Amino acid sequence: MGAVPYLNRHLTLEEPQRVSDGAGGYVESWVPLGSLWASIEAGTGSKRSEDFATISVVPLRITVRGTPVGSPSRPKPEQRFTEGARTYVILSVTEADPMGHYLICQAREEVSS
């Protein structure tokens, strides 16, 4: 890894939690796990149609400080980052350098239009 990333974005790491709805099903809600400072690089966006809406999708490369595998503060796929009203779904996580000082999270932001 070359330059040290500039972690200037304050993100909240969240994971989904299923809660019984009392009728044999469940409701999914998001539970905050903590906050992290990150660097975000956006890729080239695209549009796709789903049902009756158009979705704008932007791939992101989010860099955060490294944490050991198994640590509750280490991001995982299927979790998400939030930044105010914005949501970034985590697709994959890998170490940015051999020492594991930083992690790279491939993510996407989806916005309905």
Side-chain angles (χ1 to χ4, degrees):
M1 185 172 143
V4 175
Y6 182 54
L7 308 179
N8 64 340
R9 306 280 288 271
H10 191 243
L11 306 179
T12 300
L13 178 63
E14 299 180 341
E15 74 177 358
Q17 182 178 54
R18 291 182 176 182
V19 179
S20 172
D21 66 2
Y26 66 90
V27 176
E28 188 172 84
S29 63
W30 289 90
V31 178
L33 298 176
S35 59
L36 301 165
W37 287 97
S39 169
I40 300 178
E41 297 174 43
T44 303
S46 63
K47 282 186 175 179
R48 70 173 190 242
S49 294
E50 284 190 12
D51 297 329
F52 300 102
T54 301
I55 308 285
S56 173
V57 180
V58 178
L60 303 167
R61 178 182 163 122
I62 301 175
T63 304
V64 297
R65 290 194 190 282
T67 53
V69 173
S71 169
S73 62
R74 183 184 174 103
K76 297 185 282 195
E78 304 304 321
Q79 292 179 333
R80 71 182 188 182
F81 292 114
T82 58
E83 181 181 34
R86 299 175 79 175
T87 301
Y88 314 122
V89 178
I90 301 170
L91 304 173
S92 65
V93 179
T94 188
E95 285 79 12
D97 59 283
M99 299 298 292
H101 293 135
Y102 295 95
L103 300 174
I104 296 173
C105 303
Q106 297 297 330
R108 74 172 179 264
E109 179 179 24
E110 296 181 352
V111 178
S112 297
S113 54

